[in-house]
């Protein structure tokens, strides 16, 4: 969360695991589709050093005007969003010109064996892990949405990717 600046929108905030890490931002607006997760995030919201507002909602239909946020943050949530293309378009819409979108996601691995294993496991995994797609090609989705990746870092042999995208 160190690269987050200004007014922040966090997509799929879950249990609020990121909340304590926001330090140099003016405000965080978090959107989460699960009421259960929102209730779990209350403790972390209370100990955050910045103002955090949590709203129930969907990443595919963000209830905010165009160009509302300096930074959009998504941490291990894009894999569960039913329509990730639409969600990325919505993120770009609400991000201010010159703003950034910060993504940290697990992705389909380039290793043929591991990528095939992810393909095989995904239908079962989705059923037990709230719709999570192990084999989502997030980088390709970003590129297909004409978004400019300015920084990409891979972790654990390409299982995780961290992207910084400029609007």
């Amino acid at each position: 969360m160190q690269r987050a600046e200004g007014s922040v929108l966090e997509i799929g905030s879950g249990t609020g695991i990121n909340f304590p890490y926001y330090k140099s931002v003016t405000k965080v607006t978090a959107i989460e589709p699960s009421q259960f997760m929102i209730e779990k995030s209350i403790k972390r919201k209370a100990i955050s050093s910045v103002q955090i507002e949590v709203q129930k909602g969907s990443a595919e239909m963000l209830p905010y005007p165009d160009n509302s946020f300096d930074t959009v943050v998504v941490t291990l949530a894009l894999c569960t969003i039913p329509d990730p293309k639409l969600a990325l378009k919505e993120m770009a819409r609400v991000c201010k010109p010159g703003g950034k979108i910060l993504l940290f996601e697990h992705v389909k691995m380039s290793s043929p064996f591991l990528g095939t294993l992810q393909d095989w496991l995904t239908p079962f995994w989705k059923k037990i892990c709230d719709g999570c797609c192990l084999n989502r090609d997030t980088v390709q989705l970003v590129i297909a949405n004409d978004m400019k990746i300015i920084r990409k870092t891979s972790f654990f042999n390409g299982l995780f990717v961290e992207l910084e995208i400029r609007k």
Side-chain angles (χ1 to χ4, degrees), residues 88-126:
L88 285 167
K89 285 181 183 180
E90 279 291 278
M91 289 178 220
R93 181 185 66 77
V94 300
C95 189
K96 292 178 181 177
K100 57 186 157 186
I101 299 170
L102 304 173
L103 297 174
F104 180 81
E105 295 291 329
H106 65 78
V107 296
K108 183 169 182 174
M109 299 177 79
S110 60
S111 158
F113 172 74
L114 295 173
T116 300
L117 182 61
Q118 286 176 301
D119 289 339
W120 185 79
L121 288 172
T122 292
F124 306 104
W125 191 260
K126 282 176 74 170

Side-chain angles (χ1 to χ4, degrees), residues 151-164:
R151 193 177 59 75
K152 175 185 169 190
T153 308
S154 295
F155 303 93
F156 297 106
N157 293 326
L159 177 59
F160 295 98
V161 67
E162 182 180 65
L163 302 175
E164 183 171 337

Side-chain angles (χ1 to χ4, degrees), residues 1-107:
M1 300 312 111
Q2 296 156 344
R3 285 189 312 280
E5 302 171 325
S7 177
V8 174
L9 172 63
E10 182 172 342
I11 303 287
S13 57
T15 63
I17 194 82
N18 289 335
F19 294 171
Y21 299 105
Y22 290 109
K23 301 291 181 197
S24 303
V25 302
T26 55
K27 180 185 175 187
V28 175
T29 302
I31 192 160
E32 169 58 46
S34 166
Q35 187 61 41
F36 175 77
M37 292 292 202
I38 291 170
E39 290 168 15
K40 290 285 185 186
S41 73
I42 292 170
K43 288 180 188 175
R44 289 190 174 114
K45 178 182 167 187
I47 63 169
S48 175
S49 62
V50 299
Q51 178 187 356
I52 296 178
E53 176 186 351
V54 182
Q55 298 177 349
K56 186 173 182 181
S58 163
E60 294 103 330
M61 194 177 356
L62 296 172
Y64 312 109
D66 296 357
N67 308 317
S68 296
F69 299 96
D70 299 297
T71 308
V72 178
V73 174
V74 187
T75 306
L76 299 173
L78 195 59
C79 60
T80 64
I81 295 172
D83 189 342
K85 288 181 184 180
L86 182 56
L88 285 167
K89 285 181 183 180
E90 279 291 278
M91 289 178 220
R93 181 185 66 77
V94 300
C95 189
K96 292 178 181 177
K100 57 186 157 186
I101 299 170
L102 304 173
L103 297 174
F104 180 81
E105 295 291 329
H106 65 78
V107 296

